[in-house]
Amino acid sequence: MSGNIHLHWYLPTNGDSRGLTGSGNDSHVVEFSGGFRAPTLAYLGDVARAAEQQPFHAVLTPTGTWCEDAWITTAALAHETKRLKFLVAFRPG
């Protein structure tokens, strides 16, 4: 086993803010300092490129009722980076 550590980041496909995001009932659209960022493709691309510029190996694309579709988001962002890998969360049931 090699001694390499692989760090992963998180794609905020439910939106992003300085506080915790809600669970889809608009509780996440509360004004925090810095405001709320919608999970647009442009913003998620910025997150993926920033993660790649740091020592991150991959990003986790979450799944859930209030998240953008993980598979479509990952496919759309795959061309935005050169070495970054994508891990799609899977929640059976």
Side-chain angles (χ1 to χ4, degrees), residues 1-91:
M1 182 168 155
S2 73
N4 294 338
I5 295 175
H6 296 285
L7 301 174
H8 291 65
W9 194 246
Y10 175 82
L11 284 174
T13 61
N14 185 31
D16 202 2
S17 71
R18 293 197 180 270
L20 295 174
T21 58
S23 58
N25 60 1
D26 289 336
S27 64
H28 64 282
V29 188
V30 178
E31 286 302 316
F32 293 101
S33 72
F36 174 78
R37 286 192 165 186
T40 65
L41 191 55
Y43 177 62
L44 295 175
D46 288 344
V47 171
R49 286 185 296 276
E52 185 174 53
Q53 290 173 358
Q54 299 303 313
F56 294 104
H57 179 75
V59 290
L60 173 68
T61 308
T63 60
T65 304
W66 309 114
C67 297
E68 297 298 325
D69 184 274
W71 294 105
I72 294 172
T73 301
T74 298
L77 292 174
H79 76 283
E80 297 287 329
T81 63
K82 294 191 183 349
R83 66 165 181 79
L84 193 68
K85 307 239 185 298
F86 294 87
L87 174 65
V88 175
F90 179 69
R91 294 182 184 174

